[in-house]
Coordinates of all heavy atoms in Angstrom, one line a residue:
M1344 N -3.4 -0.1 32.9 CA -2.3 -0.5 32.1 C -1.0 -0.3 32.9 O -1.0 0.5 33.8 CB -2.3 0.3 30.8 CG -1.9 -0.6 29.6 SD -1.8 0.1 28.0 CE -3.4 0.8 27.7
T1345 N 0.0 -1.0 32.5 CA 1.3 -0.8 33.2 C 1.7 0.7 33.0 O 1.3 1.4 32.2 CB 2.4 -1.7 32.6 OG1 2.5 -1.5 31.2 CG2 2.1 -3.2 32.9
A1346 N 2.7 1.0 33.9 CA 3.1 2.4 33.9 C 3.7 2.8 32.6 O 4.6 2.2 32.0 CB 4.2 2.6 35.0
L1347 N 3.1 3.9 32.0 CA 3.6 4.3 30.7 C 4.9 5.0 30.7 O 5.6 5.1 29.7 CB 2.5 5.2 30.1 CG 1.2 4.6 29.8 CD1 0.2 5.6 29.2 CD2 1.3 3.4 28.8
D1348 N 5.3 5.4 31.9 CA 6.6 6.1 32.0 C 7.7 5.1 32.4 O 8.9 5.5 32.7 CB 6.5 7.2 33.0 CG 6.1 6.8 34.4 OD1 5.7 5.7 34.6 OD2 6.2 7.6 35.4
A1349 N 7.4 3.8 32.5 CA 8.4 2.8 32.8 C 9.5 2.8 31.8 O 9.3 3.2 30.6 CB 7.8 1.4 33.0
D1350 N 10.7 2.2 32.1 CA 11.8 2.1 31.2 C 11.6 0.9 30.3 O 12.1 -0.2 30.4 CB 13.1 2.0 31.9 CG 14.3 1.9 31.0 OD1 14.1 2.2 29.8 OD2 15.4 1.6 31.5
W1351 N 10.7 1.0 29.3 CA 10.4 0.0 28.4 C 11.5 -0.4 27.5 O 11.6 -1.5 26.9 CB 9.1 0.3 27.5 CG 7.9 0.4 28.3 CD1 7.7 1.0 29.6 CD2 6.6 -0.1 28.0 NE1 6.4 0.8 30.0 CE2 5.8 0.2 29.0 CE3 6.2 -0.8 26.9 CZ2 4.4 -0.2 29.0 CZ3 4.8 -1.2 26.9 CH2 4.0 -0.9 27.9
G1352 N 12.5 0.4 27.4 CA 13.7 0.2 26.6 C 14.6 -0.9 27.1 O 15.4 -1.5 26.4
T1353 N 14.3 -1.4 28.4 CA 15.2 -2.4 28.9 C 15.0 -3.7 28.2 O 15.9 -4.6 28.2 CB 14.9 -2.6 30.4 OG1 13.5 -3.0 30.6 CG2 15.3 -1.4 31.2
I1354 N 13.8 -3.9 27.5 CA 13.7 -5.1 26.7 C 13.9 -4.8 25.3 O 13.6 -5.7 24.4 CB 12.3 -5.8 26.9 CG1 11.2 -4.9 26.5 CG2 12.1 -6.2 28.4 CD1 9.8 -5.6 26.3
G1355 N 14.4 -3.6 25.0 CA 14.7 -3.3 23.6 C 13.5 -2.8 22.8 O 13.6 -2.9 21.6
S1356 N 12.4 -2.4 23.4 CA 11.3 -2.0 22.7 C 11.0 -0.6 22.9 O 11.3 0.0 23.9 CB 10.1 -2.9 23.0 OG 9.6 -2.6 24.4
D1357 N 10.2 0.0 22.0 CA 9.8 1.4 22.2 C 8.5 1.4 23.0 O 7.7 0.5 23.0 CB 9.4 2.0 20.8 CG 10.7 2.2 20.0 OD1 11.8 2.5 20.5 OD2 10.6 2.1 18.7
P1358 N 8.4 2.4 23.9 CA 7.1 2.6 24.6 C 5.9 2.7 23.7 O 6.1 3.1 22.6 CB 7.4 3.8 25.5 CG 8.4 4.6 24.8 CD 9.3 3.6 24.1
P1359 N 4.7 2.4 24.2 CA 3.6 2.5 23.3 C 3.3 3.9 22.9 O 3.3 4.8 23.7 CB 2.4 1.9 24.2 CG 2.9 2.1 25.6 CD 4.4 2.0 25.6
N1360 N 2.9 4.1 21.7 CA 2.5 5.4 21.2 C 0.9 5.4 21.3 O 0.3 4.5 21.8 CB 3.0 5.6 19.7 CG 2.5 4.6 18.7 OD1 1.5 3.9 19.0 ND2 3.1 4.5 17.6
D1361 N 0.4 6.5 20.8 CA -1.1 6.7 20.9 C -1.9 5.6 20.2 O -2.9 5.1 20.7 CB -1.5 8.0 20.4 CG -1.2 9.2 21.3 OD1 -1.0 8.9 22.5 OD2 -1.1 10.3 20.8
A1362 N -1.4 5.2 19.0 CA -2.0 4.1 18.3 C -2.1 2.8 19.0 O -3.1 2.2 19.1 CB -1.4 3.9 16.9
A1363 N -1.0 2.4 19.6 CA -0.9 1.2 20.4 C -1.8 1.3 21.6 O -2.5 0.3 22.0 CB 0.5 0.9 20.8
R1364 N -1.8 2.4 22.3 CA -2.6 2.6 23.5 C -4.1 2.5 23.2 O -4.8 1.8 23.9 CB -2.2 3.9 24.2 CG -0.9 3.8 25.0 CD -0.8 5.0 26.0 NE -0.9 6.3 25.4 CZ 0.2 6.9 24.9 NH1 1.4 6.4 25.0 NH2 0.1 8.1 24.3
Q1365 N -4.5 3.1 22.1 CA -5.9 3.1 21.7 C -6.3 1.7 21.4 O -7.4 1.3 21.8 CB -6.2 4.1 20.6 CG -6.1 5.5 21.0 CD -6.3 6.4 19.8 OE1 -6.7 6.0 18.7 NE2 -6.0 7.7 20.0
L1366 N -5.5 1.0 20.7 CA -5.8 -0.4 20.3 C -5.9 -1.3 21.6 O -6.8 -2.1 21.8 CB -4.8 -1.0 19.4 CG -4.8 -0.5 18.0 CD1 -3.6 -1.0 17.2 CD2 -6.1 -0.8 17.3
A1367 N -5.0 -1.1 22.5 CA -4.9 -1.8 23.8 C -6.2 -1.5 24.6 O -6.8 -2.5 25.2 CB -3.7 -1.5 24.6
F1368 N -6.6 -0.3 24.7 CA -7.8 0.0 25.5 C -9.0 -0.7 24.8 O -9.9 -1.2 25.5 CB -8.0 1.5 25.6 CG -7.1 2.2 26.6 CD1 -6.3 3.3 26.2 CD2 -7.1 1.8 27.9 CE1 -5.5 3.9 27.1 CE2 -6.3 2.4 28.8 CZ -5.5 3.4 28.4
R1369 N -9.1 -0.7 23.5 CA -10.2 -1.4 22.8 C -10.2 -2.9 23.1 O -11.3 -3.5 23.5 CB -10.1 -1.2 21.3 CG -11.3 -1.7 20.6 CD -11.2 -1.5 19.1 NE -10.9 -0.1 18.7 CZ -10.5 0.3 17.5 NH1 -10.4 -0.6 16.6 NH2 -10.2 1.6 17.3
V1370 N -9.0 -3.5 23.1 CA -8.9 -4.9 23.4 C -9.3 -5.2 24.9 O -10.1 -6.1 25.2 CB -7.5 -5.5 23.1 CG1 -7.3 -6.9 23.7 CG2 -7.2 -5.4 21.6
L1371 N -8.8 -4.3 25.8 CA -9.1 -4.5 27.2 C -10.6 -4.4 27.5 O -11.2 -5.1 28.2 CB -8.3 -3.6 28.0 CG -6.8 -3.9 28.1 CD1 -6.0 -2.8 28.7 CD2 -6.5 -5.2 28.8
E1372 N -11.2 -3.4 26.9 CA -12.6 -3.2 27.0 C -13.4 -4.4 26.6 O -14.3 -4.9 27.3 CB -13.1 -1.9 26.3 CG -14.5 -1.6 26.4 CD -14.9 -0.4 25.6 OE1 -14.8 -0.4 24.3 OE2 -15.3 0.6 26.2
L1373 N -13.1 -4.9 25.4 CA -13.8 -6.1 25.0 C -13.4 -7.4 25.8 O -14.3 -8.2 26.0 CB -13.5 -6.3 23.5 CG -14.1 -5.3 22.5 CD1 -13.5 -5.5 21.1 CD2 -15.6 -5.5 22.5
S1374 N -12.2 -7.4 26.3 CA -11.8 -8.6 27.1 C -12.7 -8.6 28.4 O -13.2 -9.7 28.7 CB -10.3 -8.4 27.6 OG -9.4 -8.7 26.6
Y1375 N -12.8 -7.5 29.1 CA -13.5 -7.5 30.3 C -15.0 -7.7 30.0 O -15.7 -8.4 30.8 CB -13.2 -6.3 31.1 CG -11.9 -6.3 31.8 CD1 -10.8 -5.6 31.3 CD2 -11.6 -7.2 32.8 CE1 -9.6 -5.6 31.9 CE2 -10.4 -7.3 33.4 CZ -9.4 -6.5 32.9 OH -8.1 -6.6 33.5
S1376 N -15.6 -7.1 29.0 CA -17.0 -7.3 28.7 C -17.3 -8.7 28.2 O -18.5 -9.1 28.3 CB -17.5 -6.2 27.7 OG -16.9 -6.4 26.4
N1377 N -16.3 -9.4 27.8 CA -16.6 -10.8 27.3 C -16.0 -11.8 28.3 O -15.8 -13.0 28.0 CB -16.0 -11.0 25.9 CG -16.8 -10.3 24.9 OD1 -17.9 -10.8 24.5 ND2 -16.3 -9.2 24.4
S1378 N -15.6 -11.4 29.5 CA -15.1 -12.2 30.6 C -13.9 -13.0 30.2 O -13.7 -14.2 30.6 CB -16.2 -13.2 31.1 OG -17.3 -12.4 31.6
V1379 N -13.0 -12.4 29.4 CA -11.7 -13.0 29.1 C -10.7 -12.1 29.6 O -10.1 -11.2 28.9 CB -11.6 -13.1 27.5 CG1 -10.3 -13.9 27.2 CG2 -12.7 -13.9 26.9
E1380 N -10.4 -12.2 30.9 CA -9.6 -11.3 31.6 C -8.1 -11.6 31.4 O -7.7 -12.7 31.6 CB -9.9 -11.2 33.1 CG -11.3 -10.7 33.3 CD -11.6 -10.5 34.8 OE1 -10.7 -10.5 35.6 OE2 -12.8 -10.4 35.1
P1381 N -7.3 -10.6 31.1 CA -5.9 -10.8 30.9 C -5.1 -11.1 32.2 O -5.6 -10.6 33.3 CB -5.4 -9.5 30.3 CG -6.3 -8.5 30.7 CD -7.7 -9.2 30.9
S1382 N -4.0 -11.8 32.1 CA -3.2 -12.0 33.3 C -2.2 -10.8 33.5 O -1.8 -10.6 34.7 CB -2.3 -13.3 33.1 OG -3.2 -14.3 32.8
L1383 N -1.9 -10.2 32.4 CA -0.8 -9.1 32.5 C -0.9 -8.2 31.3 O -1.2 -8.7 30.2 CB 0.6 -9.8 32.5 CG 1.8 -9.0 32.5 CD1 2.0 -8.3 33.8 CD2 3.0 -9.9 32.2
V1384 N -0.7 -6.9 31.5 CA -0.5 -6.0 30.4 C 0.9 -5.4 30.6 O 1.3 -5.0 31.6 CB -1.5 -4.8 30.5 CG1 -1.4 -3.8 29.4 CG2 -3.0 -5.4 30.5
T1385 N 1.7 -5.6 29.5 CA 3.1 -5.3 29.6 C 3.6 -4.7 28.2 O 2.8 -4.5 27.3 CB 3.9 -6.5 30.0 OG1 5.2 -6.2 30.2 CG2 3.8 -7.6 28.9
A1386 N 4.9 -4.5 28.1 CA 5.5 -4.1 26.9 C 5.6 -5.2 25.9 O 5.7 -6.4 26.2 CB 7.0 -3.6 27.2
S1387 N 5.4 -4.8 24.6 CA 5.6 -5.8 23.5 C 7.1 -5.6 23.1 O 7.5 -4.5 23.0 CB 4.7 -5.4 22.4 OG 5.1 -6.1 21.2
A1388 N 7.7 -6.7 22.8 CA 9.1 -6.6 22.4 C 9.2 -6.0 21.0 O 10.3 -5.5 20.7 CB 9.7 -8.0 22.3
E1389 N 8.1 -5.9 20.3 CA 8.1 -5.3 19.0 C 7.7 -3.8 19.0 O 7.6 -3.1 18.0 CB 7.2 -6.0 18.0 CG 7.6 -7.4 17.7 CD 6.8 -8.0 16.7 OE1 6.4 -7.4 15.7 OE2 6.4 -9.2 16.8
G1390 N 7.5 -3.3 20.2 CA 7.1 -1.9 20.4 C 5.6 -1.7 20.5 O 4.9 -1.9 19.5
G1391 N 5.1 -1.4 21.6 CA 3.7 -1.3 21.8 C 3.3 -2.0 23.1 O 4.0 -2.0 24.1
V1392 N 2.1 -2.5 23.2 CA 1.5 -3.1 24.4 C 1.2 -4.6 24.1 O 0.6 -4.9 23.1 CB 0.2 -2.4 24.7 CG1 -0.4 -3.0 26.0 CG2 0.4 -0.9 25.0
G1393 N 1.6 -5.4 25.1 CA 1.3 -6.8 25.1 C 0.2 -7.1 26.1 O 0.4 -6.8 27.3
I1394 N -0.9 -7.7 25.7 CA -1.9 -8.1 26.6 C -1.9 -9.6 26.7 O -2.1 -10.3 25.7 CB -3.3 -7.6 26.1 CG1 -3.3 -6.1 26.0 CG2 -4.4 -8.1 27.1 CD1 -4.5 -5.5 25.3
V1395 N -1.4 -10.1 27.9 CA -1.1 -11.5 28.1 C -2.2 -12.3 28.8 O -2.8 -11.8 29.8 CB 0.2 -11.7 28.8 CG1 0.6 -13.1 29.1 CG2 1.3 -10.9 28.1
Y1396 N -2.5 -13.5 28.3 CA -3.5 -14.4 28.9 C -2.8 -15.7 29.2 O -2.3 -16.4 28.3 CB -4.7 -14.6 27.9 CG -5.3 -13.3 27.4 CD1 -4.8 -12.6 26.3 CD2 -6.4 -12.8 28.1 CE1 -5.4 -11.5 25.9 CE2 -7.0 -11.7 27.7 CZ -6.5 -11.0 26.6 OH -7.1 -9.8 26.2
K1397 N -2.7 -16.0 30.5 CA -2.0 -17.3 30.9 C -3.0 -18.2 31.6 O -3.9 -17.8 32.3 CB -0.9 -17.0 31.8 CG 0.3 -16.3 31.2 CD 1.4 -16.1 32.2 CE 2.6 -15.4 31.6 NZ 3.7 -15.3 32.6
A1398 N -2.8 -19.5 31.4 CA -3.4 -20.5 32.2 C -2.4 -21.6 32.3 O -1.4 -21.6 31.6 CB -4.6 -21.0 31.4
P1399 N -2.5 -22.6 33.3 CA -1.5 -23.6 33.4 C -1.2 -24.3 32.1 O -2.1 -24.9 31.4 CB -2.2 -24.6 34.4 CG -3.1 -23.7 35.2 CD -3.7 -22.7 34.2
G1400 N 0.0 -24.2 31.7 CA 0.5 -24.8 30.5 C 0.1 -24.1 29.2 O 0.3 -24.6 28.1
K1401 N -0.6 -22.9 29.3 CA -1.1 -22.2 28.1 C -0.6 -20.8 28.1 O -0.5 -20.2 29.2 CB -2.6 -22.3 28.1 CG -3.2 -23.6 28.1 CD -3.1 -24.3 26.8 CE -3.7 -25.7 26.8 NZ -3.8 -26.3 25.6
Y1402 N -0.4 -20.2 27.0 CA 0.0 -18.8 26.8 C -0.6 -18.3 25.5 O -0.5 -18.9 24.5 CB 1.5 -18.7 26.8 CG 2.0 -17.3 26.5 CD1 2.3 -16.4 27.6 CD2 2.2 -16.9 25.2 CE1 2.7 -15.2 27.3 CE2 2.6 -15.6 24.9 CZ 2.9 -14.7 26.0 OH 3.3 -13.4 25.7
A1403 N -1.2 -17.1 25.6 CA -1.6 -16.4 24.5 C -1.4 -14.9 24.8 O -1.4 -14.5 25.9 CB -3.1 -16.7 24.1
A1404 N -1.2 -14.1 23.7 CA -1.1 -12.6 23.9 C -1.6 -11.9 22.7 O -1.5 -12.4 21.6 CB 0.4 -12.3 24.1
I1405 N -2.2 -10.8 22.9 CA -2.6 -9.9 21.9 C -1.7 -8.7 21.9 O -1.6 -8.1 23.0 CB -4.1 -9.5 22.0 CG1 -5.0 -10.7 21.8 CG2 -4.4 -8.4 20.9 CD1 -6.5 -10.3 21.9
E1406 N -0.9 -8.5 20.9 CA 0.0 -7.4 20.8 C -0.6 -6.3 20.0 O -1.1 -6.5 18.9 CB 1.3 -7.8 20.2 CG 2.1 -8.8 21.1 CD 3.5 -8.9 20.6 OE1 3.8 -8.8 19.4 OE2 4.4 -9.2 21.5
C1407 N -0.6 -5.1 20.6 CA -1.1 -3.9 20.0 C 0.1 -3.0 19.7 O 0.8 -2.5 20.6 CB -2.0 -3.1 20.9 SG -3.4 -4.1 21.5
L1408 N 0.5 -3.0 18.4 CA 1.8 -2.5 18.1 C 1.8 -1.0 17.7 O 0.8 -0.5 17.2 CB 2.4 -3.3 16.9 CG 2.5 -4.8 17.2 CD1 3.0 -5.6 16.0 CD2 3.5 -5.1 18.4
N1409 N 2.9 -0.4 17.9 CA 3.1 1.0 17.5 C 2.8 1.3 16.0 O 2.5 2.4 15.7 CB 4.5 1.5 17.9 CG 4.6 1.7 19.4 OD1 3.7 1.7 20.1 ND2 5.9 1.8 19.8
R1410 N 2.9 0.3 15.2 CA 2.7 0.4 13.8 C 1.2 0.5 13.5 O 0.8 0.7 12.4 CB 3.2 -0.8 13.0 CG 4.7 -1.0 13.2 CD 5.2 -2.1 12.2 NE 4.5 -3.4 12.4 CZ 4.9 -4.4 13.2 NH1 6.0 -4.2 13.9 NH2 4.3 -5.5 13.3
G1411 N 0.3 0.4 14.5 CA -1.1 0.5 14.4 C -1.8 -0.8 14.0 O -2.9 -0.8 13.5
C1412 N -1.1 -1.9 14.2 CA -1.7 -3.2 13.9 C -1.7 -4.1 15.1 O -1.1 -3.8 16.2 CB -1.0 -3.9 12.7 SG 0.7 -4.2 13.1
M1413 N -2.5 -5.2 15.1 CA -2.5 -6.1 16.2 C -2.3 -7.5 15.7 O -2.6 -7.9 14.5 CB -4.0 -6.1 16.8 CG -4.3 -4.8 17.5 SD -5.9 -4.9 18.2 CE -7.0 -5.0 16.8
Q1414 N -1.8 -8.4 16.6 CA -1.6 -9.8 16.3 C -1.8 -10.6 17.5 O -1.6 -10.2 18.7 CB -0.2 -10.0 15.8 CG 0.9 -9.6 16.6 CD 2.3 -9.6 15.9 OE1 2.4 -9.7 14.7 NE2 3.4 -9.5 16.7
L1415 N -2.3 -11.8 17.3 CA -2.6 -12.8 18.3 C -1.4 -13.8 18.3 O -1.1 -14.3 17.2 CB -3.9 -13.5 18.1 CG -4.2 -14.7 19.0 CD1 -4.3 -14.3 20.5 CD2 -5.5 -15.4 18.5
L1416 N -0.8 -14.0 19.4 CA 0.3 -15.0 19.5 C -0.1 -16.1 20.5 O -0.8 -15.8 21.5 CB 1.5 -14.3 20.1 CG 2.0 -13.0 19.4 CD1 3.1 -12.3 20.3 CD2 2.5 -13.3 18.0
W1417 N 0.2 -17.3 20.2 CA -0.1 -18.4 21.1 C 0.8 -19.6 20.7 O 1.6 -19.5 19.7 CB -1.5 -18.9 21.0 CG -2.0 -19.6 19.8 CD1 -2.1 -21.0 19.6 CD2 -2.3 -19.1 18.5 NE1 -2.5 -21.3 18.4 CE2 -2.7 -20.1 17.6 CE3 -2.4 -17.8 18.0 CZ2 -3.1 -19.9 16.3 CZ3 -2.8 -17.6 16.7 CH2 -3.1 -18.7 15.9
F1418 N 0.8 -20.6 21.5 CA 1.6 -21.8 21.2 C 0.6 -23.0 20.9 O -0.3 -23.2 21.6 CB 2.5 -22.2 22.4 CG 3.6 -21.2 22.6 CD1 3.5 -20.2 23.5 CD2 4.8 -21.3 21.9 CE1 4.6 -19.3 23.7 CE2 5.8 -20.4 22.0 CZ 5.7 -19.4 23.0
S1419 N 0.9 -23.7 19.9 CA 0.1 -24.9 19.5 C 0.3 -26.0 20.5 O 1.2 -25.9 21.4 CB 0.5 -25.4 18.1 OG 1.8 -25.9 18.1
Q1420 N -0.5 -27.1 20.4 CA -0.4 -28.2 21.3 C 1.0 -28.8 21.3 O 1.5 -29.3 22.3 CB -1.4 -29.2 21.0 CG -2.8 -28.8 21.4 CD -3.8 -29.9 21.2 OE1 -3.7 -30.7 20.3 NE2 -4.9 -29.8 21.9
D1421 N 1.7 -28.7 20.2 CA 3.1 -29.3 20.2 C 4.2 -28.3 20.5 O 5.3 -28.5 20.3 CB 3.4 -29.9 18.8 CG 3.2 -29.0 17.6 OD1 2.9 -27.8 17.8 OD2 3.5 -29.4 16.5
G1422 N 3.7 -27.1 21.0 CA 4.7 -26.1 21.5 C 5.2 -25.1 20.4 O 6.1 -24.3 20.7
E1423 N 4.7 -25.2 19.2 CA 5.1 -24.3 18.1 C 4.5 -23.0 18.3 O 3.3 -22.9 18.4 CB 4.8 -24.9 16.8 CG 5.6 -26.2 16.5 CD 7.1 -25.9 16.4 OE1 7.5 -24.9 15.7 OE2 7.9 -26.7 16.9
P1424 N 5.3 -21.9 18.1 CA 4.7 -20.5 18.2 C 3.8 -20.3 17.0 O 4.1 -20.7 15.9 CB 5.9 -19.6 18.2 CG 7.0 -20.4 17.7 CD 6.7 -21.8 18.0
Q1425 N 2.6 -19.7 17.2 CA 1.7 -19.3 16.2 C 1.4 -17.8 16.2 O 1.5 -17.2 17.3 CB 0.4 -20.1 16.4 CG 0.5 -21.6 16.5 CD 1.0 -22.3 15.2 OE1 0.4 -22.0 14.2 NE2 2.0 -23.1 15.3
V1426 N 1.1 -17.3 15.1 CA 0.7 -15.8 15.0 C -0.4 -15.6 14.0 O -0.4 -16.3 13.0 CB 2.0 -15.0 14.7 CG1 2.5 -15.3 13.4 CG2 1.6 -13.5 14.9
R1427 N -1.3 -14.8 14.3 CA -2.4 -14.4 13.4 C -2.6 -12.9 13.5 O -2.8 -12.4 14.6 CB -3.7 -15.2 13.8 CG -4.9 -14.8 12.9 CD -6.0 -15.7 13.2 NE -6.7 -15.5 14.4 CZ -7.7 -14.6 14.6 NH1 -8.1 -13.8 13.6 NH2 -8.3 -14.4 15.8
R1428 N -2.7 -12.3 12.4 CA -3.0 -10.8 12.4 C -4.5 -10.6 12.8 O -5.4 -11.4 12.4 CB -2.7 -10.3 11.0 CG -2.8 -8.8 11.0 CD -2.5 -8.2 9.7 NE -2.6 -6.7 9.8 CZ -1.8 -5.9 9.4 NH1 -0.7 -6.3 8.8 NH2 -2.0 -4.6 9.5
I1429 N -4.8 -9.6 13.5 CA -6.1 -9.2 13.9 C -6.5 -7.9 13.3 O -5.7 -6.9 13.5 CB -6.2 -9.1 15.4 CG1 -5.8 -10.4 16.2 CG2 -7.7 -8.8 15.8 CD1 -5.6 -10.2 17.6
K1430 N -7.6 -7.8 12.6 CA -8.0 -6.5 12.1 C -8.5 -5.7 13.2 O -8.9 -6.2 14.3 CB -9.1 -6.7 11.0 CG -8.7 -7.4 9.8 CD -9.8 -7.6 8.8 CE -9.3 -8.4 7.6 NZ -10.5 -8.6 6.7
K1431 N -8.5 -4.4 13.0 CA -8.9 -3.4 14.1 C -10.4 -3.3 14.3 O -10.8 -2.5 15.1 CB -8.3 -2.1 13.8 CG -6.8 -2.0 13.8 CD -6.3 -0.7 13.6 CE -5.9 -0.4 12.2 NZ -5.2 0.8 12.0
I1432 N -11.2 -4.1 13.7 CA -12.6 -4.1 13.8 C -13.1 -4.9 15.0 O -12.4 -5.9 15.3 CB -13.4 -4.4 12.5 CG1 -13.0 -5.8 12.1 CG2 -13.1 -3.4 11.4 CD1 -13.8 -6.3 10.9
K1433 N -14.2 -4.5 15.6 CA -14.7 -5.2 16.8 C -14.9 -6.7 16.6 O -14.5 -7.5 17.5 CB -16.0 -4.5 17.3 CG -16.6 -5.0 18.5 CD -17.8 -4.2 18.9 CE -18.4 -4.6 20.2 NZ -19.5 -3.8 20.6
R1434 N -15.5 -7.1 15.5 CA -15.7 -8.5 15.2 C -14.5 -9.3 15.3 O -14.4 -10.4 15.9 CB -16.4 -8.6 13.9 CG -16.8 -10.1 13.6 CD -17.2 -10.2 12.2 NE -16.1 -9.8 11.3 CZ -16.1 -9.7 10.0 NH1 -17.2 -10.0 9.4 NH2 -15.0 -9.3 9.4
D1435 N -13.4 -8.8 14.7 CA -12.1 -9.6 14.7 C -11.5 -9.7 16.0 O -10.9 -10.7 16.4 CB -11.2 -9.0 13.6 CG -11.5 -9.4 12.2 OD1 -12.6 -9.9 12.0 OD2 -10.6 -9.3 11.4
I1436 N -11.6 -8.6 16.8 CA -11.0 -8.6 18.1 C -11.8 -9.6 19.0 O -11.2 -10.4 19.7 CB -11.1 -7.2 18.8 CG1 -10.2 -6.2 18.0 CG2 -10.6 -7.2 20.2 CD1 -10.3 -4.8 18.3
K1437 N -13.1 -9.6 18.9 CA -13.9 -10.6 19.6 C -13.6 -12.0 19.2 O -13.5 -12.9 20.1 CB -15.4 -10.3 19.4 CG -15.9 -9.0 20.2 CD -17.3 -8.8 20.0 CE -18.1 -9.7 20.9 NZ -19.6 -9.3 20.9
E1438 N -13.4 -12.2 17.9 CA -13.0 -13.6 17.5 C -11.6 -14.0 18.1 O -11.5 -15.2 18.4 CB -12.9 -13.6 15.9 CG -14.3 -13.6 15.3 CD -14.2 -13.6 13.8 OE1 -13.1 -13.6 13.2 OE2 -15.3 -13.5 13.2
A1439 N -10.7 -13.1 18.1 CA -9.4 -13.4 18.7 C -9.6 -13.7 20.2 O -9.0 -14.7 20.7 CB -8.4 -12.2 18.6
L1440 N -10.4 -13.0 20.9 CA -10.7 -13.3 22.3 C -11.4 -14.6 22.5 O -11.1 -15.3 23.5 CB -11.5 -12.1 23.0 CG -10.7 -10.8 23.1 CD1 -11.7 -9.7 23.5 CD2 -9.6 -10.9 24.1
E1441 N -12.3 -14.9 21.6 CA -12.9 -16.3 21.6 C -11.9 -17.4 21.4 O -11.9 -18.4 22.1 CB -14.0 -16.4 20.6 CG -15.2 -15.5 20.9 CD -16.2 -15.4 19.7 OE1 -16.0 -16.0 18.7 OE2 -17.2 -14.6 19.9
Q1442 N -10.9 -17.1 20.6 CA -9.8 -18.1 20.4 C -9.0 -18.3 21.6 O -8.6 -19.4 22.0 CB -9.0 -17.7 19.2 CG -7.9 -18.7 18.8 CD -7.1 -18.4 17.6 OE1 -7.5 -17.5 16.9 NE2 -6.1 -19.2 17.3
V1443 N -8.7 -17.1 22.3 CA -8.0 -17.2 23.6 C -8.7 -18.0 24.6 O -8.2 -18.9 25.3 CB -7.7 -15.8 24.1 CG1 -7.2 -15.8 25.5 CG2 -6.7 -15.0 23.2
A1444 N -10.0 -17.7 24.7 CA -10.9 -18.4 25.7 C -10.9 -19.9 25.4 O -10.8 -20.8 26.3 CB -12.3 -17.9 25.7
A1445 N -11.0 -20.3 24.1 CA -11.0 -21.7 23.7 C -9.7 -22.4 24.0 O -9.7 -23.5 24.5 CB -11.3 -21.8 22.2
L1446 N -8.6 -21.7 23.8 CA -7.3 -22.2 24.1 C -7.1 -22.5 25.6 O -6.6 -23.6 26.0 CB -6.2 -21.3 23.7 CG -5.9 -21.1 22.2 CD1 -5.0 -19.9 21.9 CD2 -5.2 -22.4 21.6
H1447 N -7.7 -21.6 26.4 CA -7.5 -21.7 27.8 C -8.6 -22.7 28.4 O -8.4 -23.3 29.5 CB -7.6 -20.4 28.5 CG -6.4 -19.6 28.3 ND1 -6.0 -19.0 27.1 CD2 -5.4 -19.2 29.2 CE1 -4.9 -18.4 27.3 NE2 -4.5 -18.5 28.5
A1448 N -9.7 -23.0 27.7 CA -10.7 -23.9 28.2 C -10.1 -25.3 28.2 O -10.6 -26.2 29.0 CB -11.9 -23.9 27.3
H1449 N -9.1 -25.6 27.4 CA -8.5 -26.9 27.3 C -7.2 -27.0 28.2 O -6.4 -27.9 28.0 CB -8.1 -27.3 25.9 CG -9.3 -27.2 25.0 ND1 -10.3 -28.1 25.1 CD2 -9.7 -26.4 24.0 CE1 -11.3 -27.9 24.2 NE2 -10.9 -26.8 23.5
A1450 N -7.1 -26.0 29.1 CA -5.9 -26.0 30.0 C -5.9 -27.1 31.1 O -7.0 -27.5 31.4 CB -5.7 -24.7 30.7

């Protein structure tokens, strides 16, 4: 993961707390075991960890927030931002990763 001692406040967000880090590790573990590798792990503007998946013309991110929740962010085909809450259970995380893979398959 990115340096936890970095100055995350430069983007106006709080550094990740234990809840956000634990969620991020769970997402990363499932990402790699399902061959959906992230492009970048960085700060979330909302406070926590952002796990970013990029492909040409495509963007998706799973945010693991300090509030102890997760959300999937992506852009629709017409460029509109979309968001979906992800439950903390393995099945929902895997479904979010499958959605990321499907979005990128059409890149």
